[in-house]
Amino acid sequence: MSNLLILPIIIPLLTAVFLIFFKKYILVQRWISVISVTATLVTSIILVEKVKNDGIQTLDVGSWPAPFGITLVSDMLSALLVTATSLIALCCIIYSFRSIGEGRERNYYYPVVQFLIVGVNGAFTTGDIFNMFVFFEVMLMSSYVLLVIGGTKIQLRETIKYILVNITSSALFVISVAYLYSVVGTLNMAHISERIAEVNQPAILTVLAVLFLIVFGLKGAIFPLFFWLPGSYYAPPAAIMALFGALLTKVGVYSILRTYTLFFYHDTGFTHELLMILSLLTIVLGSIAAVAYKDMKKIVIYNIIIAIGVITYGIGAMNTDALTGSVFYLIHDMVIKAVLFLLVGLIISITGANSYDKFSGLIKHYPLLGWLFFISVLALAGIPPLSGFIGKILIVNGAFSNGDLVGGLIILISSLFVLYSLMRVFINGFWGDPEGSKKKESIRMGTYLFPVIILVGTAVAYGVFSEYVHMYVSQAVEVIENPEMYIEAVLQK
Amino acid sequence: MRKTNDLILQTVTKIVSFMIFMFALHIFFAGHNNPGGGFVGGLLTSGAIVLLLLAYDLKTVAGSLPIDYKILIAVGLLFAVGTGLGSLVFDVPFLTHAHDIFTLPILGETHLHTAVLFDIGVYLVVVGTTMTIIQTIGENE
């Protein structure tokens, strides 16, 4: 069926619309959301298989041929990211059943989550730069609502900051697209790439590359532009935080990856060098901040920033190893950040303390929680059999083969900081005498831990079967490295 | 509070709001070949309702127009998505539209296009959104 690749966008959209009708019936809302996200997950897995067997899938929406209408493009990269998004959304929705609270559930929580999935899946799938902007806005508007829903004081304050920053960056996005349109005269991404190859990237396009880096850097939080993230992500409840941490910044990273490998790859001397330097600074500052705080949420938030730096460094390095590593690390990081936020949210709801030095000995009463946390920290730091290893080793490999010794070493040392920052939580919070962490009978661990177990299982399997995953990732990287494949698939030459 | 007499405003509103509503419909249906369409049509319609709100009060208007505007948004979205879903049935790319010329009883030969259904969706969403915003802000004490 030709419409397969639009199903991961349509199913959540239709669900969101239906859920508006069932505002008062919370149980109905929960069941419909879970069923629809499962359906989205299944279709996206089918899509991955389809892309694996038949190559890049394209759909000309409204039957208008490629450069004139909006084309949706599903190559392996976007299909994998859509699958990861659906899986994470499913787990976050199950987690929010008990944790999010009835007040939020009654006020359109589930429809807005569905709209968020529409935005993220759409941004991953679209092949049109302005359509990407529109999906960014769908995603951002839902995230505004999710950030403010519930209306506590801290949420209101942080939402104002978040909206201001994102409105600014969206305006910049429109300006950049307008500039790009005035230079190349088209909005279809494959067509833009073709036109840029024809004019061989004059100076104005390098300026545009930097403008796009600023725009997507604001969305994805790289070095000088991450100032808004720690405060904003601190405000909402754990399930929403997990959705944000796993999905939103990664859309920015995906857009940098797309634009820097599809559009601006002709004159990499300035732009990619700049991207690499900014990434390394992001890693360094993120590492410093991650070890500076005792607040668990802050630690995980700064770990997002470190991971963004690692991924964008791989994009800047632009060789096969580094790009493969980036794609590996991107998917790993989506899953593992969702896990960490869900676990930290659970720990906070058990102990009632944000800082890890306020409690100890949690493992006595909650052994499963403790070991899940331990495994996910090891996976995050990149200990070999687990998921973070293969991506990081490939990025470091890419850095060394480019002759960038400093970059590779910074990434390696940052792993140590990542491990240290979260292992402190494990040692201080889970070991020792059980003080300040009495067993709470009121918390039914099953519904909380079930989604976490799914995600940790995915992360472990992702690392153990990385040989198998590599087949898919290498297909994604093949398209990233050869933009002609993308152009040919879209413009049907 | 002393009760004011809004006789002139209310009488004029009764006539003018209908005129605005008719103009909104005109603009809505003109959209395919002339400036207009669902968005501006929807805004004009909500303009007519806002005029009613100014002349009367929230309760009176809610009594004479018993619509839940949030449901209206959902219905509008359903129209818009549903137009696209039709293409799934006929196995053509999403949002592919169809059109043909029909001979209708009173109107005679009419050019009907499924894009109008999509536009109805836009219209309903715009009316719903605008009125939801205005009502929620107006209700707050």
Side-chain angles (χ1 to χ4, degrees):
Chain A
M1 197 170 75
S2 59
N3 281 310
L4 177 66
L5 69 139
I6 206 173
L7 285 183
I9 306 172
I10 290 302
I11 296 172
L13 179 58
L14 206 59
T15 319
V17 175
F18 274 117
L19 288 179
I20 298 176
F21 290 112
F22 297 108
K23 187 195 176 195
K24 287 179 189 134
Y25 309 99
I26 293 176
L27 267 181
V28 179
Q29 289 207 43
R30 287 176 179 174
W31 277 106
I32 293 183
S33 335
V34 166
I35 291 169
S36 96
V37 184
T38 316
T40 315
L41 181 60
V42 171
T43 46
S44 50
I45 290 170
I46 296 172
L47 179 62
V48 168
E49 286 303 319
K50 176 102 174 154
V51 173
K52 181 174 175 258
N53 295 328
D54 305 347
I56 303 172
Q57 298 291 306
T58 62
L59 174 73
D60 296 326
V61 175
S63 304
W64 297 100
F68 306 113
I70 288 174
T71 309
L72 299 177
V73 188
S74 225
D75 62 349
M76 190 45 99
L77 176 63
S78 64
L80 286 175
L81 291 175
V82 165
T83 312
T85 305
S86 313
L87 178 70
I88 289 160
L90 175 65
C91 294
C92 288
I93 287 174
I94 298 175
Y95 184 89
S96 51
F97 282 176
R98 295 231 177 270
S99 68
I100 205 73
E102 211 170 281
R104 290 191 174 92
E105 282 180 314
R106 276 189 197 285
N107 281 298
Y108 302 107
Y109 170 72
Y110 293 113
V112 176
V113 171
Q114 298 288 334
F115 277 123
L116 185 81
I117 304 170
V118 174
V120 174
N121 280 351
F124 285 145
T125 314
T126 185
D128 183 286
I129 194 79
F130 196 77
N131 194 231
M132 182 185 258
F133 168 76
V134 173
F135 276 123
F136 259 96
E137 288 305 304
V138 172
M139 175 184 92
L140 288 172
M141 300 234 174
S142 329
S143 70
Y144 302 154
V145 179
L146 284 180
L147 196 56
V148 82
I149 197 170
T152 56
K153 198 177 169 192
I154 177 172
Q155 281 181 300
L156 293 173
R157 189 182 66 222
E158 295 304 333
T159 308
I160 289 178
K161 290 185 201 165
Y162 182 74
I163 290 181
L164 278 177
V165 167
N166 276 302
I167 283 184
T168 317
S169 73
S170 296
L172 265 178
F173 196 172
V174 176
I175 292 168
S176 318
V177 171
Y179 251 125
L180 186 64
Y181 187 67
S182 72
V183 175
V184 296
T186 178
L187 290 172
N188 183 297
M189 280 159 64
H191 204 207
I192 291 174
S193 172
E194 200 184 42
R195 290 263 172 94
I196 289 179
E198 277 167 16
V199 294
N200 206 9
Q201 196 164 345
I204 179 81
L205 281 167
T206 307
V207 173
L208 270 171
V210 176
L211 250 178
F212 272 109
L213 183 61
I214 293 171
V215 170
F216 296 136
L218 263 169
K219 314 271 188 204
I222 61 173
F223 158 57
L225 309 166
F226 66 71
F227 53 89
W228 55 272
L229 186 135
S232 303
Y233 281 23
Y234 194 79
I240 298 173
M241 214 158 53
L243 276 174
F244 281 17
L247 305 179
L248 296 191
T249 49
K250 306 306 181 292
V251 181
V253 173
Y254 165 81
S255 313
I256 294 178
L257 177 58
R258 208 32 116 201
T259 46
Y260 270 60
T261 55
L262 187 62
F263 297 171
F264 308 114
Y265 60 93
H266 302 282
D267 182 18
T268 56
F270 180 70
T271 51
H272 289 58
E273 191 80 28
L274 178 69
L275 181 59
M276 270 156 73
I277 293 169
L278 290 182
S279 313
L280 290 177
L281 287 170
T282 314
I283 297 173
V284 171
L285 283 167
S287 304
I288 293 172
V291 294
Y293 284 97
K294 287 189 168 171
D295 188 317
M296 291 180 291
K297 283 200 252 175
K298 281 264 193 273
I299 296 173
V300 184
I301 286 169
Y302 281 106
N303 271 303
I304 299 181
I305 293 173
I306 302 174
I308 299 287
V310 173
I311 302 166
T312 47
Y313 180 85
I315 300 167
M318 267 299 246
N319 55 37
T320 314
D321 272 353
L323 286 171
T324 317
S326 280
V327 175
F328 256 114
Y329 204 75
L330 179 58
I331 297 168
H332 143 79
D333 194 59
M334 289 170 83
V335 175
I336 210 72
K337 286 288 142 59
V339 170
L340 281 172
F341 274 119
L342 295 182
L343 282 174
V344 163
L346 187 50
I347 295 171
I348 290 173
S349 68
I350 290 171
T351 60
N354 282 332
S355 309
Y356 62 77
D357 54 356
K358 297 266 168 58
F359 59 90
S360 59
L362 264 186
I363 202 143
K364 185 158 192 293
H365 295 306
Y366 300 98
L368 184 58
L369 173 68
W371 292 118
L372 283 174
F373 188 77
F374 183 69
I375 294 171
S376 49
V377 171
L378 291 188
L380 179 73
I383 305 295
L386 300 167
S387 61
F389 172 68
I390 184 87
K392 213 171 248 177
I393 193 82
L394 283 170
I395 293 175
V396 171
N397 208 356
F400 285 156
S401 65
N402 268 8
D404 188 358
L405 199 64
V406 181
L409 282 178
I410 287 180
I411 291 174
L412 284 176
I413 295 168
S414 80
S415 298
L416 216 57
F417 278 91
V418 168
L419 186 64
Y420 172 66
S421 68
L422 276 157
M423 212 39 102
R424 282 182 311 168
V425 178
F426 185 74
I427 290 174
N428 282 297
F430 284 91
W431 289 358
D433 293 326
E435 282 169 37
S437 62
K438 292 199 182 66
K439 191 169 174 64
K440 275 196 178 172
E441 302 298 339
S442 61
I443 294 181
R444 283 160 64 186
M445 299 294 283
T447 29
Y448 286 109
L449 282 184
F450 172 64
V452 178
I453 290 170
I454 297 179
L455 286 176
V456 172
T458 315
V460 173
Y462 187 80
V464 173
F465 301 109
S466 52
E467 192 73 38
Y468 183 69
V469 181
H470 189 266
M471 291 193 309
Y472 295 89
V473 173
S474 62
Q475 199 184 343
V477 173
E478 201 188 347
V479 179
I480 297 173
E481 282 197 306
N482 304 302
E484 309 85 51
M485 290 173 69
Y486 188 94
I487 297 170
E488 273 166 27
V490 175
L491 299 179
Q492 266 137 27
K493 290 192 177 152
Chain B
M1 207 179 102
R2 199 169 63 89
K3 224 182 167 198
T4 50
N5 195 342
D6 296 336
L7 183 66
I8 296 177
L9 178 62
Q10 291 182 344
T11 317
V12 172
T13 299
K14 272 176 199 162
I15 303 160
V16 170
S17 60
F18 264 100
M19 286 161 67
I20 299 177
F21 185 64
M22 284 301 136
F23 184 58
L25 281 186
H26 168 73
I27 285 276
F28 171 75
F29 283 112
H32 199 76
N33 299 314
N34 289 303
F39 187 78
V40 67
L43 278 184
L44 274 169
T45 308
S46 30
I49 305 175
V50 168
L51 185 61
L52 285 175
L53 283 174
L54 286 176
Y56 300 89
D57 57 288
L58 274 172
K59 269 185 195 146
T60 321
V61 177
S64 55
L65 282 173
I67 304 166
D68 184 348
Y69 291 105
K70 295 182 198 96
I71 297 294
L72 200 65
I73 298 175
V75 172
L77 283 172
L78 212 54
F79 262 99
V81 185
T83 326
L85 287 183
S87 59
L88 291 187
V89 179
F90 299 106
D91 200 27
V92 284
F94 187 73
L95 276 180
T96 303
H97 287 285
H99 60 95
D100 208 347
I101 294 172
F102 294 94
T103 315
L104 296 178
I106 303 169
L107 298 167
E109 279 208 346
T110 319
H111 186 192
L112 294 182
H113 201 299
T114 48
V116 177
L117 293 175
F118 188 87
D119 235 19
I120 290 176
V122 176
Y123 177 89
L124 293 178
V125 171
V126 170
V127 174
T129 313
T130 331
M131 292 320 296
T132 309
I133 293 173
I134 290 168
Q135 274 195 343
T136 353
I137 296 175
E139 272 166 7
N140 265 350
E141 302 279 288

